[in-house]
Amino acid sequence: MSEKPQKKLKMSRYPVIFVVAALLSLCHMSVAMEKKKTYIIHMSKSQMPATFNDDHTHWYDSSLRSVSDSAEMLYVYNNVVHGFSARLTPQEAESLETQPGILSVLPELKYQLHTTRTPTFLGLDKSADFFPESDAMSDVIIGVLDTGVWPESKSFDDSGLGPVPASWRGQCESGTNFSSANCNRKLIGARYFSRGYETTLGPIDESKESKSPRDDDGHGTHTSTTAGGSVVQGASLFGYAPGTARGMATRARVAVYKVCWVGGCFSSDILAAMDKAIDDNVNVLSLSLGGGISDYYRDSVAIGAFAAMEKGILVSCSAGNAGPSPYSLSNVAPWITTVGAGTLDRDFPAYVSLGNGKNFSGVSLYKGNSLPNKMLPFVYAGNASNMTNGNLCMTGTLIPEKVKGKIVLCDRGINARVQKGSVVKAAGGAGMVLTNTAANGEELVADAHLLPATAVGQKTGDVIRDYLTSDSNPTATILFEGTKVGIEPSPVVAAFSSRGPNSITPEILKPDIIAPGVNILAGWTGAVGPTGLEEDDRRVGFNIISGTSMSCPHVSGLAALLKGAHPEWSPAAIRSALMTTAYTAYKNGRAIQDVSTGKPSTPFDHGAGHVDPVSALNPGLIYDITADDYLNFLCALNYTPSQISSLARRNFTCNESKKFSVTDLNYPSFAVSFPAESAARTGSVPSSSIKYSRTLTNVGPAGTYKVTVTSPSSSVRIMVEPETLSFSQMNEKKLYTVTFTAPSMSSSTTSIFGRIEWSDEKHVVGSPVAISWT
């Protein structure tokens, strides 16, 4: 009898053991699954074993199977890299990297979007005189990588356009709320890429965004119509910025590649889109997005752009919105055209009138019910909240009893500007004054607020805050003045525009150029309101937004214009024409200002200057750069053969008998980095010299060019040899050198700036000079 209970106990224990084992197994599987992430695998095609009979896809699959039975390839890349992307554990990725023929296994990166009047401001209202509307112009195709497209926008009207260019090899893909019928002779292609996104963040919620090329965000429609939108009469946002809206290249064709979703833009998708765009035969690629700074062979956008450059495709990218901090740039590879942001000569004034009789200027795009025709109670958000960050007007921080019926002063920071107004409105506030903090200074960006609101600069905000704390019964109202043009000075460099120096290669000056990026009117999605907020039920055909995301497609469209006028020009030639003809001073001779300081901007802020497309059409001379020149540049950076192969997609060995220098890359600007040395330590101030070599190509009539040097300091000597270059025929090339001699200084020394200009009295070919000590 004693054995039966014992036996029963043993029998009951087995299921428990099995359950525990199963749970442990599931936990182990769960942990393993959690550890997986997407990697981009670069393969050396020349090392593919002959047994695969030139079928590289089978070789990729075999390599992947050697480390994982379950992993599947997300994408196979044919143009931007030789390789594929797949979901792996770190251990599998490490193992794969040791396999023969593997150049690198790089973890996927997440990128973010760098989120009318412009043609007139740029002189394109006279474009018929300068840019003939030839068939060549309508053969140019601009590819835009962004959040997709709203094809119903009037900016995609294809009236007057001929058949789709015979060179086009792309498609118009169907998907959620989108079909191939949505494309036409203007919007000739639309694709979407989501595998990388979905393997990381899960399936796309199709109730919130379309799994198709359709743009539910607005950003992609805005950038694509800025670059190549058709002419639309009577465009505006609620009556603001009224007039004719048009892209930079109105006759160019547009192809859209949706790579950005609610959760961001993933590098495996971006690479796949660039891969397809090259196959599709675009002429210009526009990417208003960026990620962290990394070496060129690890940067997916730089890798894709290198392949595009080799195919003759100009790649234009936004510099980023991390200004005014130094070293804040994205997309700094020398084969990318990096674009910063400036303002237009247009503003949207909205004044704050205080109970003490003082008035202050702000900006707003508010359109709706007016405030009562009387002064209203005025309160500081920090005094109408129990939260430590109540001054920021974040969701749920305001006490309704303290703000109801009042105008509320909110400080800028953390949450979106328009969301602050929504928070004030939800709490019962009548209006909002949004004030900048030190981080934004005096830069004013207009928004289509959901309640009467205006934005003011930091200094004004400080004065208003003092009034609120000192007056026992503070009152205010807001007066909206509509649209004003002819604002001076303009342009000024936007405070948010990312700045140099170039943290990867200090000898390459970035950004390359600035273009309009503040309060830009362009096409918009019908899926969301102009603020993008869920509670904004307004729908508009055009919206006004700001960012280097807006300046980038300006340059993309201008590059398309130049490509149409000069089909034979390389990407480097087009960029050179835009850079060497850019301006750095107003008509009164004063230097372009930086709004973040109120002082003259520098080449680290504006690059070569503000774009001038009419002058760029006929630059006289250009600095051309070939793919081999860029490879020699990589040699100068001491990249290994496998690192170069990751970019070049072929074997390339640097010639050991040749001395490579980054100063020899034929760039249209000069960034000179001297080694810092303490004079106190050496007991003297020794000088050092750095030599740069450049080659100019004549793309105009015969002529003799003489050099003019603006030296930044009497202590710095800039010597150009020879001082005169004579050209007798088109495409003739001439070499010159520049020797910079400067005393050694500490690395804390302020950078100094100068300029080198070549002129034949008809053309001025300008290059900025930035000198620093590191």
Side-chain angles (χ1 to χ4, degrees):
M1 288 190 58
S2 63
E3 288 183 16
K4 285 184 181 179
Q6 182 73 15
K7 190 174 182 181
K8 187 176 180 182
L9 183 63
K10 283 179 75 177
M11 289 291 289
S12 66
R13 198 179 283 167
Y14 286 123
V16 174
I17 292 170
F18 284 130
V19 168
V20 171
L23 286 171
L24 285 171
S25 176
L26 284 170
C27 288
H28 179 74
M29 287 170 62
S30 175
V31 170
M33 288 174 69
E34 284 175 9
K35 285 184 177 178
K36 282 197 172 187
K37 57 183 178 179
T38 303
Y39 291 86
I40 297 167
I41 296 91
H42 295 246
M43 308 284 284
S44 177
K45 203 171 183 181
S46 63
Q47 295 183 44
M48 182 171 68
T51 52
F52 290 98
N53 297 319
D54 289 334
D55 190 333
H56 60 274
T57 305
H58 284 172
W59 179 41
Y60 299 165
D61 188 62
S62 175
S63 300
L64 183 58
R65 294 282 160 264
S66 70
V67 299
S68 172
D69 293 329
S70 60
E72 293 183 6
M73 286 187 277
L74 300 178
Y75 296 106
V76 172
Y77 306 110
N78 299 308
N79 299 302
V80 291
V81 297
H82 291 315
F84 60 97
S85 50
R87 196 90 172 147
L88 301 167
T89 65
Q91 293 83 359
E92 289 168 345
E94 194 174 319
S95 176
L96 185 59
E97 199 160 22
T98 64
Q99 302 291 325
I102 307 290
L103 292 171
S104 62
V105 179
L106 302 178
E108 180 170 62
L109 296 175
K110 183 178 174 183
Y111 289 73
Q112 298 291 349
L113 295 164
H114 284 154
T115 225
T116 158
R117 179 71 182 167
T118 312
T120 302
F121 186 65
L122 294 174
L124 292 179
D125 53 330
K126 307 183 185 100
S127 65
D129 301 330
F130 300 102
F131 296 92
E133 294 193 351
S134 63
D135 290 339
M137 182 57 64
S138 63
D139 284 341
V140 179
I141 303 165
I142 305 170
V144 182
L145 273 67
D146 214 296
T147 63
V149 65
W150 191 260
E152 293 82 6
S153 169
K154 293 179 181 179
S155 296
F156 295 115
D157 180 21
D158 64 356
S159 300
L161 287 173
V164 172
S167 61
W168 176 243
R169 296 198 296 258
Q171 291 182 359
C172 196
E173 295 180 346
S174 297
T176 312
N177 304 319
F178 200 95
S179 75
S180 58
N182 287 120
C183 290
N184 59 15
R185 291 170 300 178
K186 180 64 173 179
L187 178 64
I188 62 173
R191 297 181 185 269
Y192 69 99
F193 301 83
S194 61
R195 292 178 201 165
Y197 177 90
E198 291 189 289
T199 55
T200 300
L201 297 181
I204 286 166
D205 183 349
E206 295 185 52
S207 69
K208 294 182 178 178
E209 59 181 332
S210 304
K211 191 175 179 181
S212 75
R214 183 165 290 281
D215 178 17
D216 303 298
D217 177 273
H219 193 277
T221 302
H222 200 279
T223 55
S224 56
T225 57
T226 296
S230 300
V231 176
V232 181
Q233 306 286 345
S236 75
L237 171 64
F238 303 136
Y240 288 102
T244 299
R246 50 160 291 176
M248 297 298 98
T250 58
R251 293 185 60 80
R253 316 301 177 118
V254 176
V256 166
Y257 301 83
K258 184 176 179 178
V259 296
C260 295
W261 307 83
V262 167
C265 329
F266 288 79
S267 55
S268 60
D269 294 328
I270 293 169
L271 272 178
M274 296 180 86
D275 203 72
K276 272 298 182 201
I278 292 171
D279 265 344
D280 293 346
N281 241 2
V282 304
N283 303 107
V284 176
L285 270 175
S286 187
L287 289 83
S288 290
L289 49 83
I293 297 295
S294 56
D295 287 310
Y296 306 132
Y297 62 89
R298 301 179 66 88
D299 182 339
S300 291
V301 171
I303 291 167
F306 194 96
M309 171 273 301
E310 288 194 291
K311 295 287 187 179
I313 302 167
L314 181 137
V315 180
S316 170
C317 291
S318 47
N321 298 336
S325 302
Y327 296 99
S328 53
L329 291 164
S330 298
N331 303 314
V332 296
W335 47 89
I336 288 173
T337 300
T338 311
V339 188
T343 64
L344 292 172
D345 63 342
R346 180 179 64 197
D347 214 346
F348 309 102
Y351 296 91
V352 184
S353 181
L354 301 181
N356 61 8
K358 292 184 178 179
N359 296 312
F360 298 95
S361 179
V363 296
S364 181
L365 296 168
Y366 172 72
K367 188 72 171 182
N369 294 329
S370 300
L371 289 168
N373 191 22
K374 62 178 182 179
M375 303 299 281
L376 294 177
F378 194 17
V379 64
Y380 180 46
N383 297 330
S385 172
N386 292 326
M387 306 290 185
T388 54
N389 61 350
N391 62 309
L392 297 176
C393 296
M394 296 174 71
T395 303
T397 60
L398 297 180
I399 300 171
E401 293 78 14
K402 292 190 176 184
V403 302
K404 187 175 181 180
K406 299 178 181 179
I407 294 175
V408 181
L409 179 71
C410 300
D411 289 335
R412 191 169 165 184
I414 301 182
N415 57 332
R417 300 183 301 271
V418 288
Q419 189 182 50
K420 295 174 188 291
S422 177
V423 170
V424 171
K425 184 178 181 180
M432 177 184 70
V433 177
L434 177 62
T435 176
N436 284 355
T437 59
N440 312 106
E442 301 310 303
E443 177 175 72
L444 299 181
V445 179
D447 294 297
H449 293 285
L450 291 170
L451 83 171
T454 186
V456 299
Q458 180 200 3
K459 293 175 183 176
T460 295
D462 290 345
V463 174
I464 294 175
R465 207 179 286 105
D466 288 343
Y467 165 69
L468 280 169
T469 56
S470 61
D471 195 296
S472 59
N473 185 31
T475 58
T477 191
I478 303 171
L479 307 170
F480 301 93
E481 296 290 312
T483 304
K484 289 193 176 181
V485 296
I487 303 297
E488 293 184 355
S490 61
V492 296
V493 179
F496 61 74
S497 187
S498 290
R499 316 302 172 96
N502 182 338
S503 59
I504 302 297
T505 316
E507 296 84 358
I508 301 296
L509 181 63
K510 292 283 182 172
D512 291 310
I513 206 162
I514 61 169
V518 178
N519 296 333
I520 304 302
L521 179 77
W524 195 245
T525 176
V528 297
T531 63
L533 296 174
E534 192 174 337
E535 59 267 34
D536 188 355
D537 58 5
R538 301 170 297 177
R539 295 295 179 265
V540 296
F542 293 86
N543 198 9
I544 295 173
I545 57 176
S546 302
T548 54
S549 278
M550 284 61 256
S551 54
C552 167
H554 277 87
V555 169
S556 306
L558 296 176
L561 284 179
L562 293 181
K563 185 69 175 178
H566 301 284
E568 75 284 0
W569 279 9
S570 69
I574 293 171
R575 178 180 57 206
S576 173
L578 290 168
M579 289 176 65
T580 61
T581 58
Y583 61 92
T584 58
Y586 305 117
K587 291 179 181 177
N588 63 10
R590 293 185 179 179
I592 289 177
Q593 284 187 19
D594 176 359
V595 74
S596 70
T597 62
K599 298 177 181 179
S601 59
T602 76
F604 288 145
D605 309 322
H606 61 234
H610 192 282
V611 66
D612 179 358
V614 174
S615 296
L617 183 67
N618 180 20
L621 307 174
I622 54 105
Y623 294 86
D624 210 355
I625 307 176
T626 67
D628 284 345
D629 293 331
Y630 288 122
L631 291 172
N632 290 336
F633 167 78
L634 299 177
C635 291
L637 295 179
N638 295 318
Y639 275 20
T640 66
S642 65
Q643 289 167 349
I644 293 176
S645 186
S646 291
L647 277 160
R649 307 167 319 287
R650 61 182 179 275
N651 288 342
F652 182 86
T653 303
C654 301
N655 186 342
E656 293 183 4
S657 64
K658 184 178 178 181
K659 184 180 179 182
F660 297 97
S661 173
V662 292
T663 63
D664 289 336
L665 184 67
N666 202 35
Y667 220 69
S669 55
F670 296 88
V672 188
S673 182
F674 283 102
E677 190 171 347
S678 169
R681 185 177 69 244
T682 60
S684 62
V685 185
S687 293
S688 55
S689 295
I690 300 176
K691 181 177 282 190
Y692 283 59
S693 65
R694 293 290 188 267
T695 299
L696 282 163
T697 303
N698 183 38
V699 292
T704 297
Y705 287 77
K706 294 182 179 179
V707 73
T708 302
V709 177
T710 305
S711 185
S713 167
S714 59
S715 63
V716 177
R717 187 180 174 209
I718 302 175
M719 186 172 68
V720 178
E721 296 180 305
E723 296 181 348
T724 301
L725 297 174
S726 293
F727 298 89
S728 58
Q729 59 189 10
M730 181 75 80
N731 295 322
E732 185 177 0
K733 297 180 184 292
K734 295 284 185 178
L735 174 73
Y736 74 93
T737 63
V738 187
T739 304
F740 299 91
T741 304
S744 293
M745 299 185 187
S746 69
S747 58
S748 61
T749 302
T750 303
S751 299
I752 52 179
F753 307 96
R755 192 166 177 83
I756 295 173
E757 291 183 347
W758 293 91
S759 178
D760 65 348
E761 297 185 355
K762 295 178 182 177
H763 307 88
V764 175
V765 185
S767 295
V769 173
I771 299 175
S772 53
W773 285 260
T774 56

